[in-house]
Amino acid sequence: MIPGPVDVDADVLQALSGPVPGHLDAGFIATFGRALKRLREVSLAPGAQPFVVSGSGTLAMELAVANLIEPGDRALVVNTGYFSDRMAHILERHGAKVTHVRAASVGSAPDVAQVEAELRGGGFKLMTVTHVDTSTAVLAPVEPLVKAARQHGVLAVVDGVCATAGEAFHQDAWGADVYLTASQKAVGVPPGLALLTVSPRAIAAWKARKAPVASVYADWAEWLPIMEAYEAGKPAYFATPPTSLVCALDVSLGQILAEGMEARFERHRRMARAFRAAWSALGLKLVPTSEDVAANTLSAVYYPDGVDASLVGRVKAQGVAIAGGLHPEIKPRYFRVGHMNRVSPGDVLVTVGAIERALHAAGHRTATAGTAVAAAQAALSG
Ligand code: PMP
């Protein structure tokens, strides 16, 4: 129950266990082509160009920035924490002049009106938003932010690493230009794939570049013909794709689409509500400052008075893996629980039970053992 890598379905694992396919093998070409089509559907972006490249989420971030930014371009970072800072770091390395709109405090989301005011000031080529910041479990108000960028002719890049296929996102309808993610979270595949869906507007902006992209491996010019060829059922080679992982991705994306995007978003909301009911019953405070900015893919929860980071080990001793803090300002003061991909009512109850017992062992006791499990159960039954 850590916020990635997540528990992977048996059929997805099975896809990894066969003979390693060659990248020019006819069966693999068909599988890769289908996975690309499925990725487009998962992003709800029928008009977008999908990219699947060997690497982690950080490469997905760099694949967006390296192609859209030229030295001197201005970029607006809607900053919710650790991974927004990482995006700014990548933007600066590629020569962007970065302006931040920061949340008022750790755990709150930046103000949409403040972002709009910056956009009105003009001059930005690109805006980035972290859909769910994994360090704070803050869910950014992505829809109004992306729409505001669109209105001002600014490219909108959304980091969906801790959100894609878990949090509601409608790339085409909202007008986002890049939705980027990685395989190991709500997409339900082991780590190793950087995934992007890119709007025709962003492709046009890339084509209009004056200077070539500084990195060969990150250059869409290398990858675009490969993605187009695989989708057209033709062999192509630039750099060897991680064939087994692509097969696993195809299976997982097929499962995600079979569940249905709206049903999947709703299941994540339901599980998150049940976890929040449990945190409340335990008298615990969340890092997100209000319910409307609390993510549905993970929880970030402060330790109660008298309990420290040793709780993570105590929960492990109860049979469930959770994670410690990550945001540098509050790192030792909170824990994180991932609830994405296959997360079920059973996972919620087992996890809440383990945390309640571990808290009990650490001296933080509810009036009646099982209070938090009962609260989660009531939320799941409601
Ligand atoms: N963005 C977000 C929101 C993340 O949660 C992470 C990883 N936890 C990343 C980017 C970076 O991804 P990776 O660790 O796969 O490089």
Side-chain angles (χ1 to χ4, degrees):
M1 299 298 288
I2 64 169
V6 302
D7 191 29
V8 169
D9 181 82
D11 287 344
V12 176
L13 289 175
Q14 180 78 31
L16 289 166
S17 67
V20 178
H23 59 293
L24 304 179
D25 174 85
F28 176 72
I29 293 168
T31 301
F32 201 167
R34 190 171 53 231
L36 289 163
K37 288 187 174 66
R38 285 176 166 170
L39 179 59
R40 193 184 275 119
E41 285 183 58
V42 165
S43 291
L44 296 164
Q49 173 60 50
F51 290 86
V52 173
V53 177
S54 184
S56 77
T58 306
L59 178 73
M61 296 161 88
E62 194 136 31
L63 277 164
V65 169
N67 287 280
L68 294 176
I69 286 292
E70 293 189 66
D73 285 343
R74 292 186 62 210
L76 184 65
V77 172
V78 180
N79 196 316
T80 42
Y82 187 93
F83 289 104
S84 309
D85 285 340
R86 175 170 298 187
M87 187 64 101
H89 182 53
I90 295 171
L91 282 161
E92 278 165 356
R93 181 64 61 88
H94 287 273
K97 294 200 178 81
V98 174
T99 302
H100 294 263
V101 173
R102 291 182 194 277
S105 58
V106 173
S108 62
D111 184 30
V112 176
Q114 214 186 325
V115 173
E116 275 175 334
E118 283 291 348
L119 289 168
R120 254 196 312 279
F124 292 106
K125 176 158 190 201
L126 179 151
M127 179 193 82
T128 67
V129 189
T130 312
H131 195 171
V132 168
D133 198 289
T134 325
S135 70
T136 54
V138 167
L139 173 66
V142 162
E143 182 178 359
L145 289 170
V146 164
K147 287 185 171 165
R150 189 69 288 109
Q151 213 183 332
H152 291 91
V154 175
L155 294 169
V157 173
V158 180
D159 172 352
V161 174
C162 199
T164 307
E167 297 285 358
F169 190 77
H170 301 257
Q171 182 170 354
D172 267 14
W174 296 355
D177 292 293
V178 178
Y179 198 37
L180 66 92
T181 192
S183 48
Q184 75 271 20
K185 299 196 196 239
V187 172
V189 175
L193 294 174
L195 310 170
L196 295 92
T197 39
V198 179
S199 76
R201 258 185 321 267
I203 295 284
W206 161 70
K207 284 191 173 153
R209 288 177 68 94
K210 292 183 213 75
V213 172
S215 153
V216 173
Y217 191 75
D219 193 345
W220 290 347
E222 304 292 352
W223 293 111
L224 184 58
I226 307 301
M227 300 302 136
E228 286 174 341
Y230 274 107
E231 232 190 308
K234 297 191 188 116
Y237 169 74
F238 160 56
T240 310
T243 50
S244 300
L245 273 177
V246 170
C247 295
L249 176 72
D250 177 50
V251 172
S252 194
L253 294 179
Q255 290 178 346
I256 290 167
L257 292 170
E259 180 176 13
M261 297 315 297
E262 291 308 322
R264 191 168 172 93
F265 299 148
E266 184 50 32
R267 177 169 56 81
H268 281 80
R269 279 187 214 108
R270 243 183 98 227
M271 300 307 136
R273 271 198 303 272
F275 272 113
R276 284 198 285 273
W279 310 138
S280 165
L282 287 164
L284 302 181
K285 187 171 162 250
L286 299 190
V287 175
T289 49
S290 66
E291 181 108 6
D292 55 318
V293 298
N296 297 298
T297 50
L298 85 159
S299 293
V301 186
Y302 286 107
Y303 300 118
D305 285 345
V307 175
D308 63 16
S310 65
L311 184 76
V312 173
R314 289 182 190 273
V315 176
K316 189 74 193 280
Q318 296 293 332
V320 177
I322 62 168
L326 182 61
H327 193 289
E329 279 176 46
I330 53 170
K331 190 175 164 122
R333 291 171 42 209
Y334 74 109
F335 64 91
R336 294 174 302 147
V337 176
H339 28 89
M340 53 194 131
N341 191 39
R342 276 155 35 90
V343 62
S344 67
D347 296 326
V348 176
L349 297 176
V350 166
T351 305
V352 168
I355 292 174
E356 191 168 18
R357 291 194 302 282
L359 281 167
H360 186 93
H364 180 81
R365 294 178 185 173
T366 46
T368 314
T371 302
V373 174
Q377 180 75 298
L380 289 167
S381 309

